[in-house]
Amino acid sequence: MSLSLVQSRGLLGLQAARVTVEVHLANGLPSFTLVGLADQEVKEARERVRSALITCGLGFPHNKRIT
């Protein structure tokens, strides 16, 4: 198991609120779960995360449980 924390910014109206992004990788059935957002935003964010990793030349861990 591993946990990573990243400081970022999230849009809140015209403000850029400071947020902490936590990513947990664990063994188990492969899955990719996002929490803390409304339903439609989660669907869009999943694709954005996957695209950002590929664009940066990083591999997406398909054999892990990602939360």
Side-chain angles (χ1 to χ4, degrees):
M1 290 189 299
S2 63
L3 178 70
S4 295
L5 302 175
V6 177
Q7 299 298 318
S8 187
R9 297 286 178 164
L11 289 177
L12 183 61
L14 296 176
Q15 303 295 321
R18 185 176 180 180
V19 296
T20 301
V21 179
E22 299 178 5
V23 179
H24 180 255
L25 290 177
N27 294 326
L29 293 175
S31 67
F32 180 31
T33 306
L34 289 174
V35 295
L37 298 170
D39 289 338
Q40 185 61 33
E41 292 171 335
V42 168
K43 291 177 186 175
E44 293 174 4
R46 288 179 54 141
E47 294 305 314
R48 289 180 184 168
V49 168
R50 193 180 309 268
S51 296
L53 288 171
I54 292 170
T55 300
C56 292
L58 301 172
F60 190 82
H62 293 286
N63 60 346
K64 297 284 186 182
R65 177 179 294 258
I66 307 165
T67 305

